[in-house]
C-alpha cells in the first residue's frame, strides 16, 4: 500500500511538472496577444522614440549603435544615418552611456510585450540637428550647430529627445485599458522623466553661460527649442525652457524651471499626432522628415502616412 501511494504521488507530481511549463507559457502568450488593440498601438508607437534615443545615446557615448550592441532589437531595420561618438568629458560620457543602456532596456521591455516593428530609418547626422536648431532660432547659425562637437552641445541636443517621449507616455496613460500596459508605461515614464530631469539639471547649472560661438545662453537655447516644439505640435503650450516668466513658474513664484509642468506642476501630455509633427520637423503628421526621413513605423504612424499628400 505504501509503495502504491508513493507511486501515485510520484505520477501526480510528474504530471504537474509536465503540464506547468506548457500551461504557464500559454498563459503568457495569451496575455500578450489578448491586449486590447488600442493598447497594442499605443505600446508600439513609442518604439519610434525609443529607437531614436537608444541610437543617439549609444553613438554619442560609444561610437556605435544597436547594430553592434544589440542587433536583435533592430528587427532588421536600416542603420541610422550620421551617428558618431561625441567629444564628451568623462562625467557626461558616463551619464549618456547610462541613458543608452536604459533605452536598450526600454526596447526589450516593449518588444517583449507587443510584436513591434523594425527600427525605422533615423537621421542622427549633425546636419539633421543643425536644421532643428536653425528652425528654433529662425536663422541659419554659423557655424552650423554640431551636437557631437562637445559635451554642452550634446546635452542641448539631448534636451530635444526624452522630453517628447515622456509627454507621449503621459498622454497614452489615460487611454490604456489593460493593467499590464499601464504598468509598463508607468515604468517607462518614470525613467524617461528621470533622464529629462538629469539633462535639464545639468544644463540649468550653465543656464547663463553663452554657447560658443553663437553668443546665446543655454537658457535661450532651451526656450527656443521648447517654443519650436510647441509650434510644431500645434496644440498649445506643452513645453517650457529652463527659465520662464515668474508668473508661469511653480506657484507663480519663481523663474527657474528645472522641471517642466503646467500651472499645477503636472507633466504635460501629447498625442502621437503631436509627437509626429515635432519629430518630423514638419508640423504635419503626414509629412515625414527630420529624424525620420521615411517616416515612423507602427499602425498609428502609418495610418497618417497613407493619407500623405
Amino acid at each position: 500500500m505504501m509503495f502504491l501511494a508513493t507511486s501515485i504521488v510520484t505520477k501526480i507530481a510528474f504530471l504537474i511538472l509536465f503540464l506547468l511549463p506548457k500551461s504557464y507559457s500559454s498563459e503568457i502568450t495569451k496575455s500578450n496577444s489578448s491586449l486590447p488593440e488600442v493598447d497594442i498601438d499605443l505600446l508600439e508607437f513609442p518604439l519610434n522614440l525609443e529607437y531614436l534615443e537608444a541610437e543617439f545615446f549609444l553613438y554619442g557615448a560609444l561610437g556605435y549603435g544597436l547594430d553592434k550592441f544589440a542587433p536583435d532589437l533592430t528587427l532588421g531595420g536600416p542603420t541610422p544615418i550620421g551617428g558618431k561618438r561625441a567629444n564628451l568629458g568623462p562625467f557626461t560620457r558616463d551619464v549618456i552611456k547610462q541613458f543608452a543602456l536604459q533605452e536598450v532596456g526600454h526596447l526589450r521591455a516593449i518588444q517583449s510585450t507587443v510584436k513591434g516593428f523594425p527600427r525605422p530609418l533615423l537621421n542622427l547626422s549633425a546636419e539633421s540637428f543643425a536644421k532643428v536648431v536653425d528652425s528654433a532660432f529662425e536663422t541659419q547659425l554659423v557655424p552650423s550647430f554640431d551636437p557631437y562637437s562637445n559635451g554642452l552641445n550634446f546635452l542641448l541636443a539631448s534636451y530635444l529627445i526624452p522630453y517628447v517621449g515622456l509627454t507621449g507616455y503621459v498622454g497614452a496613460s489615460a487611454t490604456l485599458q489593460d493593467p499590464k500596459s499601464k504598468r509598463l508605461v508607468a515604468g517607462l515614464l518614470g525613467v524617461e522623466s528621470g533622464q529629462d530631469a538629469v539633462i535639464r539639471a545639468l544644463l540649468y547649472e550653465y543656464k547663463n553661460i553663452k554657447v560658443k560661438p553663437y553668443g546665446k545662453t543655454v537658457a535661450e537655447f532651451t526656450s527656443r527649442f521648447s517654443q519650436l516644439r510647441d509650434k510644431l505640435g500645434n496644440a498649445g503650450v506643452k513645453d517650457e525652457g529652463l527659465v520662464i516668466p515668474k508668473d508661469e513658474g511653480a506657484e507663480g513664484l519663481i523663474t527657474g524651471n528645472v522641471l517642466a509642468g503646467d500651472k499645477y506642476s503636472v507633466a504635460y501630455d501629447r498625442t502621437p499626432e503631436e509627437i509626429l509633427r515635432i519629430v518630423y520637423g514638419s508640423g504635419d503628421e503626414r509629412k515625414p522628415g527630420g529624424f525620420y526621413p521615411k517616416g515612423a513605423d507602427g499602425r498609428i504612424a502609418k495610418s497618417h502616412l497613407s493619407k500623405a499628400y
Side-chain angles (χ1 to χ4, degrees), residues 263-297:
K263 65 179 180 180
Y264 301 113
S265 293
V266 173
Y268 292 105
D269 66 305
R270 282 193 171 107
T271 66
E273 289 72 25
E274 292 169 47
I275 290 173
L276 291 172
R277 294 169 201 158
I278 294 168
V279 298
Y280 287 172
S282 64
D284 188 338
E285 62 271 27
R286 298 167 297 176
K287 188 177 179 182
F291 298 121
Y292 299 84
K294 294 185 178 180
D297 208 334

Side-chain angles (χ1 to χ4, degrees), residues 55-68:
E55 294 289 11
F56 182 57
F57 292 142
L58 280 170
Y59 272 103
L62 304 175
Y64 54 83
L66 290 169
D67 286 334
K68 180 176 179 180

Side-chain angles (χ1 to χ4, degrees), residues 28-48 50-51 72-73 75 106-118 169 176 178 180-182 184-185 188 297-299:
I28 295 297
T29 302
K30 181 180 178 182
S31 173
N32 290 343
S33 64
S34 64
L35 287 175
E37 186 175 334
V38 64
D39 285 24
I40 294 173
D41 289 342
L42 290 173
L43 290 176
E44 286 190 330
F45 179 79
L47 280 172
N48 291 295
E50 299 292 357
Y51 277 127
D72 58 307
L73 295 178
L75 302 182
H106 291 179
L107 288 171
R108 293 190 194 282
I110 296 174
Q111 289 184 7
S112 66
T113 306
V114 292
K115 182 180 179 181
F117 47 78
Y169 284 132
L176 293 168
D178 193 282
K180 293 182 291 298
S181 304
K182 295 178 181 180
L184 175 58
V185 163
L188 293 167
D297 208 334
R299 195 196 66 81

Side-chain angles (χ1 to χ4, degrees), residues 202-281:
L202 292 174
L203 289 172
Y204 187 75
E205 184 177 2
Y206 300 100
K207 66 182 184 299
N208 296 321
I209 299 296
K210 291 185 177 180
V211 180
K212 297 179 181 180
Y214 309 113
K216 302 180 187 299
T217 67
V218 167
E220 186 174 357
F221 265 78
T222 64
S223 293
R224 291 278 189 162
F225 290 169
S226 289
Q227 289 166 12
L228 176 64
R229 290 190 296 212
D230 276 338
K231 178 182 177 181
L232 293 173
N234 194 28
V237 175
K238 296 188 176 183
D239 222 305
E240 299 170 338
L242 294 174
V243 177
I244 56 179
K246 188 175 181 179
D247 61 342
E248 295 178 13
E251 293 299 297
L253 296 174
I254 196 166
T255 61
N257 196 45
V258 72
L259 295 178
D262 65 15
K263 65 179 180 180
Y264 301 113
S265 293
V266 173
Y268 292 105
D269 66 305
R270 282 193 171 107
T271 66
E273 289 72 25
E274 292 169 47
I275 290 173
L276 291 172
R277 294 169 201 158
I278 294 168
V279 298
Y280 287 172

Side-chain angles (χ1 to χ4, degrees), residues 132-204:
V132 175
V133 177
D134 289 349
S135 294
F137 282 96
E138 299 181 321
T139 188
Q140 187 172 350
L141 298 188
V142 180
S144 295
F145 180 85
D146 182 354
Y148 302 106
S149 63
N150 59 67
L152 182 57
N153 279 19
F154 195 85
L155 286 174
L156 285 168
S158 299
Y159 177 94
L160 291 169
I161 300 175
Y163 182 76
V164 176
L166 80 86
T167 57
Y169 284 132
V170 174
S173 64
T175 307
L176 293 168
Q177 299 176 16
D178 193 282
K180 293 182 291 298
S181 304
K182 295 178 181 180
R183 172 62 184 89
L184 175 58
V185 163
L188 293 167
L189 173 59
V191 174
E192 293 289 340
S193 300
Q195 290 178 354
D196 181 65
V198 169
I199 292 166
R200 293 178 72 102
L202 292 174
L203 289 172
Y204 187 75

